[in-house]
Amino acid sequence: EVRLSEFGGGLVQPGGSLRLSCAASGFAFRGYAMGWVRQAPGKGLEWVSVISNTGDNAHYTDSVKGRFTLSRDNSKNAVYLQMNSLRAEDTAIYYCAKNHLGGYDSFDVWGHGTTVTVSS
Amino acid sequence: SYELTQPPSVSVSPGQTATITCSGDAVAKQYAYWYQQKPGQAPTLIIYRDSERPSGIPERFSGASSGTTVTLTIRGVQAEDEADYYCQSVDSNPTFLYVFGTGTKLTVL
C-alpha cells in the first residue's frame, strides 16, 4: 500500500522552529519529487515547497523562502521540512505529497496531514 | 499571473451535470490538474494533464482545456460528490511554483 505519514506538528511560539517529517512507503521513493502543501483553517490549498527526486533541487513559495528548508533522505524514504522564524500566518495543516509522474506536475498521494499552530 | 480563479460555489441537483471552471495564464501554458477534498480529508487527485483520469476515478469526472480556462465536468452528480474542488498548475517563468486555484464548493441539492 502506498502511504505517506507526517510527523512533527504542534504548537510553537512566533519566531520559533519546527521540523516536519514525512515517512513514505509502498513505492519507489527515489524516483519521485516530493512536496508539501498547507491549508490554513477554513482556507484553500497553498503549495509550500517541492524537492526533486535526487534532492539536488528544492523550490519554495515566496512567503517561506529563507525560512523553510526542504530536504530528503532516499536511504530512509523520508522528507523533512525545517521551518524557522515561524509566523502566525504559517498556522495550517501541512500535507506531505508525492508527485504523480516523477517530474513536477501534480500530487497523487497525500498524507493525512500534521497541524502546525503558531501562537503565543 | 500566478492566480487561478474558480467560482466560490456551484450547486446542482442529483443526476445533473456540474461544471467548474478555472481561469488563469498558467493553464494556458501548462497542464491543469484537479483535486477533490471532502471535509476533514486530504485532497484526492481526480484529473491530471487536463483530461486524464487516475485509476479508480469514476468516468463521470472529466476535464477539458481551452486557452486560459480549464473545466471540470461531473456528469450524473451524486450526493457523494459534494466536496471542495481545486485546480492546480505548475508555472516556471519567471519563478518556479505550483499554483492552486481558489477552490469551489460543490453543493448537491
Side-chain angles (χ1 to χ4, degrees):
Chain A
E1 179 188 3
V2 178
R3 178 175 291 183
L4 297 174
S5 299
E6 301 97 337
F7 305 93
L11 174 65
V12 62
Q13 292 187 342
S17 298
L18 276 178
R19 187 194 195 208
L20 304 185
S21 301
C22 172
S25 61
F27 64 97
F29 180 76
R30 64 180 64 243
Y32 295 91
M34 298 291 296
W36 290 87
V37 176
R38 66 186 180 185
Q39 188 168 34
K43 302 297 184 182
L45 302 175
E46 180 187 23
W47 169 70
V48 175
S49 181
V50 69
I51 191 166
S52 64
N53 65 312
T54 61
D56 291 345
N57 293 292
H59 303 276
Y60 305 89
T61 192
D62 284 347
S63 63
V64 309
K65 284 180 182 176
R67 302 189 298 124
F68 291 12
T69 302
L70 182 57
S71 61
R72 65 189 292 162
D73 185 338
N74 284 348
S75 68
K76 295 183 178 179
N77 286 3
V79 293
Y80 308 99
L81 185 65
Q82 178 66 43
M83 305 187 296
N84 299 330
S85 302
L86 283 161
R87 306 167 180 167
E89 53 265 37
D90 295 318
T91 294
I93 298 172
Y94 284 72
Y95 295 101
C96 174
K98 165 190 167 291
N99 266 242
H100 181 208
L101 298 173
Y104 300 124
D105 52 274
S106 54
F107 297 113
D108 68 330
V109 180
W110 297 64
H112 285 106
T114 187
T115 299
V116 172
T117 303
V118 184
S119 175
S120 54
Chain B
S1 170
Y2 296 151
E3 297 179 344
L4 292 177
T5 302
Q6 301 179 230
S9 62
V10 169
S11 298
V12 64
S13 298
Q16 299 300 304
T17 296
T19 300
I20 300 173
T21 58
C22 168
S23 299
D25 292 343
V27 296
K29 301 176 291 184
Q30 304 290 343
Y31 285 121
Y33 310 92
W34 288 94
Y35 300 86
Q36 176 194 68
Q37 186 181 31
K38 296 182 178 180
Q41 297 184 17
T44 297
L45 179 68
I46 57 174
I47 295 290
Y48 68 99
R49 289 188 173 177
D50 292 344
S51 59
E52 302 293 322
R53 273 189 317 277
S55 62
I57 301 302
E59 292 183 6
R60 65 178 183 273
F61 292 91
S62 64
S65 176
S66 179
T68 58
T69 300
V70 292
T71 302
L72 172 69
T73 301
I74 311 172
R75 292 183 169 81
V77 167
Q78 301 180 5
E80 66 195 48
D81 299 331
E82 184 163 291
D84 293 324
Y85 291 84
Y86 296 91
C87 60
Q88 177 245 312
S89 191
V90 180
D91 205 346
S92 57
N93 187 15
T95 303
F96 179 96
L97 81 163
Y98 287 59
V99 57
F100 283 94
T102 50
T104 298
K105 169 66 177 178
L106 175 66
T107 299
V108 181
L109 301 171

PDB file of all heavy atoms in Angstrom, chain B residues 48-66:
ATOM      1  N   TYR B  48      -5.606  14.630 -14.234  1.00  0.00           N
ATOM      2  CA  TYR B  48      -4.254  15.111 -14.470  1.00  0.00           C
ATOM      3  C   TYR B  48      -4.059  15.363 -15.964  1.00  0.00           C
ATOM      4  O   TYR B  48      -4.784  14.830 -16.795  1.00  0.00           O
ATOM      5  CB  TYR B  48      -3.202  14.148 -13.907  1.00  0.00           C
ATOM      6  CG  TYR B  48      -3.105  12.812 -14.611  1.00  0.00           C
ATOM      7  CD1 TYR B  48      -2.127  12.566 -15.563  1.00  0.00           C
ATOM      8  CD2 TYR B  48      -3.985  11.768 -14.289  1.00  0.00           C
ATOM      9  CE1 TYR B  48      -2.026  11.335 -16.190  1.00  0.00           C
ATOM     10  CE2 TYR B  48      -3.890  10.534 -14.902  1.00  0.00           C
ATOM     11  CZ  TYR B  48      -2.902  10.327 -15.858  1.00  0.00           C
ATOM     12  OH  TYR B  48      -2.803   9.102 -16.486  1.00  0.00           O
ATOM     13  N   ARG B  49      -3.083  16.199 -16.279  1.00  0.00           N
ATOM     14  CA  ARG B  49      -2.793  16.575 -17.665  1.00  0.00           C
ATOM     15  C   ARG B  49      -4.061  16.975 -18.413  1.00  0.00           C
ATOM     16  O   ARG B  49      -4.363  16.436 -19.481  1.00  0.00           O
ATOM     17  CB  ARG B  49      -2.053  15.451 -18.385  1.00  0.00           C
ATOM     18  CG  ARG B  49      -0.625  15.300 -17.891  1.00  0.00           C
ATOM     19  CD  ARG B  49       0.176  14.331 -18.723  1.00  0.00           C
ATOM     20  NE  ARG B  49       1.575  14.349 -18.319  1.00  0.00           N
ATOM     21  CZ  ARG B  49       2.507  13.548 -18.833  1.00  0.00           C
ATOM     22  NH1 ARG B  49       2.180  12.676 -19.776  1.00  0.00           N
ATOM     23  NH2 ARG B  49       3.758  13.621 -18.416  1.00  0.00           N
ATOM     24  N   ASP B  50      -4.792  17.863 -17.841  1.00  0.00           N
ATOM     25  CA  ASP B  50      -6.002  18.490 -18.385  1.00  0.00           C
ATOM     26  C   ASP B  50      -7.221  17.566 -18.397  1.00  0.00           C
ATOM     27  O   ASP B  50      -8.324  18.010 -18.064  1.00  0.00           O
ATOM     28  CB  ASP B  50      -5.795  18.994 -19.829  1.00  0.00           C
ATOM     29  CG  ASP B  50      -4.847  20.160 -19.933  1.00  0.00           C
ATOM     30  OD1 ASP B  50      -4.567  20.804 -18.887  1.00  0.00           O
ATOM     31  OD2 ASP B  50      -4.376  20.445 -21.045  1.00  0.00           O
ATOM     32  N   SER B  51      -7.030  16.298 -18.824  1.00  0.00           N
ATOM     33  CA  SER B  51      -8.218  15.477 -19.084  1.00  0.00           C
ATOM     34  C   SER B  51      -8.048  13.992 -18.754  1.00  0.00           C
ATOM     35  O   SER B  51      -8.956  13.209 -19.030  1.00  0.00           O
ATOM     36  CB  SER B  51      -8.614  15.608 -20.553  1.00  0.00           C
ATOM     37  OG  SER B  51      -7.551  15.183 -21.394  1.00  0.00           O
ATOM     38  N   GLU B  52      -6.937  13.613 -18.181  1.00  0.00           N
ATOM     39  CA  GLU B  52      -6.710  12.207 -17.859  1.00  0.00           C
ATOM     40  C   GLU B  52      -7.229  11.883 -16.462  1.00  0.00           C
ATOM     41  O   GLU B  52      -7.114  12.700 -15.547  1.00  0.00           O
ATOM     42  CB  GLU B  52      -5.214  11.877 -17.940  1.00  0.00           C
ATOM     43  CG  GLU B  52      -4.584  12.156 -19.291  1.00  0.00           C
ATOM     44  CD  GLU B  52      -5.127  11.230 -20.357  1.00  0.00           C
ATOM     45  OE1 GLU B  52      -5.362  10.045 -20.055  1.00  0.00           O
ATOM     46  OE2 GLU B  52      -5.300  11.697 -21.513  1.00  0.00           O
ATOM     47  N   ARG B  53      -7.774  10.677 -16.321  1.00  0.00           N
ATOM     48  CA  ARG B  53      -8.270  10.245 -15.010  1.00  0.00           C
ATOM     49  C   ARG B  53      -7.346   9.207 -14.401  1.00  0.00           C
ATOM     50  O   ARG B  53      -7.018   8.214 -15.052  1.00  0.00           O
ATOM     51  CB  ARG B  53      -9.663   9.604 -15.127  1.00  0.00           C
ATOM     52  CG  ARG B  53     -10.839  10.535 -15.077  1.00  0.00           C
ATOM     53  CD  ARG B  53     -12.140   9.744 -14.976  1.00  0.00           C
ATOM     54  NE  ARG B  53     -12.164   8.585 -15.856  1.00  0.00           N
ATOM     55  CZ  ARG B  53     -12.488   8.630 -17.130  1.00  0.00           C
ATOM     56  NH1 ARG B  53     -12.807   9.783 -17.676  1.00  0.00           N
ATOM     57  NH2 ARG B  53     -12.482   7.530 -17.865  1.00  0.00           N
ATOM     58  N   PRO B  54      -6.925   9.414 -13.147  1.00  0.00           N
ATOM     59  CA  PRO B  54      -6.160   8.351 -12.470  1.00  0.00           C
ATOM     60  C   PRO B  54      -7.036   7.113 -12.309  1.00  0.00           C
ATOM     61  O   PRO B  54      -8.272   7.202 -12.332  1.00  0.00           O
ATOM     62  CB  PRO B  54      -5.831   8.968 -11.108  1.00  0.00           C
ATOM     63  CG  PRO B  54      -5.987  10.438 -11.281  1.00  0.00           C
ATOM     64  CD  PRO B  54      -7.059  10.606 -12.308  1.00  0.00           C
ATOM     65  N   SER B  55      -6.380   5.989 -12.112  1.00  0.00           N
ATOM     66  CA  SER B  55      -7.144   4.758 -11.905  1.00  0.00           C
ATOM     67  C   SER B  55      -8.015   4.887 -10.666  1.00  0.00           C
ATOM     68  O   SER B  55      -7.601   5.460  -9.657  1.00  0.00           O
ATOM     69  CB  SER B  55      -6.200   3.568 -11.776  1.00  0.00           C
ATOM     70  OG  SER B  55      -5.356   3.738 -10.660  1.00  0.00           O
ATOM     71  N   GLY B  56      -9.231   4.384 -10.766  1.00  0.00           N
ATOM     72  CA  GLY B  56     -10.146   4.411  -9.640  1.00  0.00           C
ATOM     73  C   GLY B  56     -11.074   5.613  -9.609  1.00  0.00           C
ATOM     74  O   GLY B  56     -12.016   5.640  -8.808  1.00  0.00           O
ATOM     75  N   ILE B  57     -10.822   6.582 -10.470  1.00  0.00           N
ATOM     76  CA  ILE B  57     -11.702   7.758 -10.527  1.00  0.00           C
ATOM     77  C   ILE B  57     -12.844   7.468 -11.503  1.00  0.00           C
ATOM     78  O   ILE B  57     -12.600   7.089 -12.649  1.00  0.00           O
ATOM     79  CB  ILE B  57     -10.928   9.011 -10.965  1.00  0.00           C
ATOM     80  CG1 ILE B  57      -9.782   9.293  -9.981  1.00  0.00           C
ATOM     81  CG2 ILE B  57     -11.867  10.220 -11.073  1.00  0.00           C
ATOM     82  CD1 ILE B  57     -10.207   9.488  -8.541  1.00  0.00           C
ATOM     83  N   PRO B  58     -14.074   7.678 -11.077  1.00  0.00           N
ATOM     84  CA  PRO B  58     -15.225   7.352 -11.941  1.00  0.00           C
ATOM     85  C   PRO B  58     -15.232   8.136 -13.249  1.00  0.00           C
ATOM     86  O   PRO B  58     -14.772   9.280 -13.303  1.00  0.00           O
ATOM     87  CB  PRO B  58     -16.429   7.732 -11.067  1.00  0.00           C
ATOM     88  CG  PRO B  58     -15.932   7.661  -9.664  1.00  0.00           C
ATOM     89  CD  PRO B  58     -14.499   8.101  -9.721  1.00  0.00           C
ATOM     90  N   GLU B  59     -15.793   7.512 -14.277  1.00  0.00           N
ATOM     91  CA  GLU B  59     -15.834   8.130 -15.603  1.00  0.00           C
ATOM     92  C   GLU B  59     -16.687   9.391 -15.644  1.00  0.00           C
ATOM     93  O   GLU B  59     -16.571  10.179 -16.585  1.00  0.00           O
ATOM     94  CB  GLU B  59     -16.365   7.113 -16.630  1.00  0.00           C
ATOM     95  CG  GLU B  59     -15.427   5.956 -16.895  1.00  0.00           C
ATOM     96  CD  GLU B  59     -15.974   5.028 -17.961  1.00  0.00           C
ATOM     97  OE1 GLU B  59     -17.019   5.343 -18.573  1.00  0.00           O
ATOM     98  OE2 GLU B  59     -15.344   3.971 -18.189  1.00  0.00           O
ATOM     99  N   ARG B  60     -17.534   9.609 -14.663  1.00  0.00           N
ATOM    100  CA  ARG B  60     -18.374  10.807 -14.671  1.00  0.00           C
ATOM    101  C   ARG B  60     -17.554  12.083 -14.468  1.00  0.00           C
ATOM    102  O   ARG B  60     -18.054  13.184 -14.711  1.00  0.00           O
ATOM    103  CB  ARG B  60     -19.479  10.715 -13.616  1.00  0.00           C
ATOM    104  CG  ARG B  60     -19.021  10.684 -12.167  1.00  0.00           C
ATOM    105  CD  ARG B  60     -20.258  10.633 -11.239  1.00  0.00           C
ATOM    106  NE  ARG B  60     -19.910  10.665  -9.831  1.00  0.00           N
ATOM    107  CZ  ARG B  60     -19.619   9.582  -9.136  1.00  0.00           C
ATOM    108  NH1 ARG B  60     -19.641   8.396  -9.732  1.00  0.00           N
ATOM    109  NH2 ARG B  60     -19.310   9.691  -7.852  1.00  0.00           N
ATOM    110  N   PHE B  61     -16.299  11.935 -14.030  1.00  0.00           N
ATOM    111  CA  PHE B  61     -15.411  13.087 -13.901  1.00  0.00           C
ATOM    112  C   PHE B  61     -14.613  13.241 -15.196  1.00  0.00           C
ATOM    113  O   PHE B  61     -13.975  12.302 -15.654  1.00  0.00           O
ATOM    114  CB  PHE B  61     -14.444  12.911 -12.731  1.00  0.00           C
ATOM    115  CG  PHE B  61     -15.097  12.940 -11.385  1.00  0.00           C
ATOM    116  CD1 PHE B  61     -15.539  11.774 -10.796  1.00  0.00           C
ATOM    117  CD2 PHE B  61     -15.270  14.138 -10.713  1.00  0.00           C
ATOM    118  CE1 PHE B  61     -16.151  11.792  -9.545  1.00  0.00           C
ATOM    119  CE2 PHE B  61     -15.871  14.177  -9.462  1.00  0.00           C
ATOM    120  CZ  PHE B  61     -16.321  12.998  -8.883  1.00  0.00           C
ATOM    121  N   SER B  62     -14.627  14.454 -15.767  1.00  0.00           N
ATOM    122  CA  SER B  62     -13.847  14.708 -16.969  1.00  0.00           C
ATOM    123  C   SER B  62     -13.304  16.124 -16.944  1.00  0.00           C
ATOM    124  O   SER B  62     -13.835  17.004 -16.266  1.00  0.00           O
ATOM    125  CB  SER B  62     -14.684  14.490 -18.226  1.00  0.00           C
ATOM    126  OG  SER B  62     -15.744  15.420 -18.287  1.00  0.00           O
ATOM    127  N   GLY B  63     -12.227  16.331 -17.703  1.00  0.00           N
ATOM    128  CA  GLY B  63     -11.605  17.636 -17.756  1.00  0.00           C
ATOM    129  C   GLY B  63     -11.356  18.065 -19.188  1.00  0.00           C
ATOM    130  O   GLY B  63     -11.201  17.226 -20.075  1.00  0.00           O
ATOM    131  N   ALA B  64     -11.321  19.381 -19.397  1.00  0.00           N
ATOM    132  CA  ALA B  64     -11.048  19.926 -20.720  1.00  0.00           C
ATOM    133  C   ALA B  64     -10.304  21.242 -20.570  1.00  0.00           C
ATOM    134  O   ALA B  64     -10.355  21.886 -19.519  1.00  0.00           O
ATOM    135  CB  ALA B  64     -12.347  20.138 -21.499  1.00  0.00           C
ATOM    136  N   SER B  65      -9.620  21.623 -21.647  1.00  0.00           N
ATOM    137  CA  SER B  65      -8.832  22.847 -21.626  1.00  0.00           C
ATOM    138  C   SER B  65      -9.075  23.651 -22.889  1.00  0.00           C
ATOM    139  O   SER B  65      -9.144  23.081 -23.990  1.00  0.00           O
ATOM    140  CB  SER B  65      -7.342  22.503 -21.513  1.00  0.00           C
ATOM    141  OG  SER B  65      -6.548  23.675 -21.587  1.00  0.00           O
ATOM    142  N   SER B  66      -9.174  24.981 -22.720  1.00  0.00           N
ATOM    143  CA  SER B  66      -9.319  25.867 -23.866  1.00  0.00           C
ATOM    144  C   SER B  66      -8.743  27.230 -23.503  1.00  0.00           C
ATOM    145  O   SER B  66      -9.334  27.977 -22.721  1.00  0.00           O
ATOM    146  CB  SER B  66     -10.797  26.005 -24.267  1.00  0.00           C
ATOM    147  OG  SER B  66     -10.932  26.887 -25.373  1.00  0.00           O
TER     148      SER B  66
END
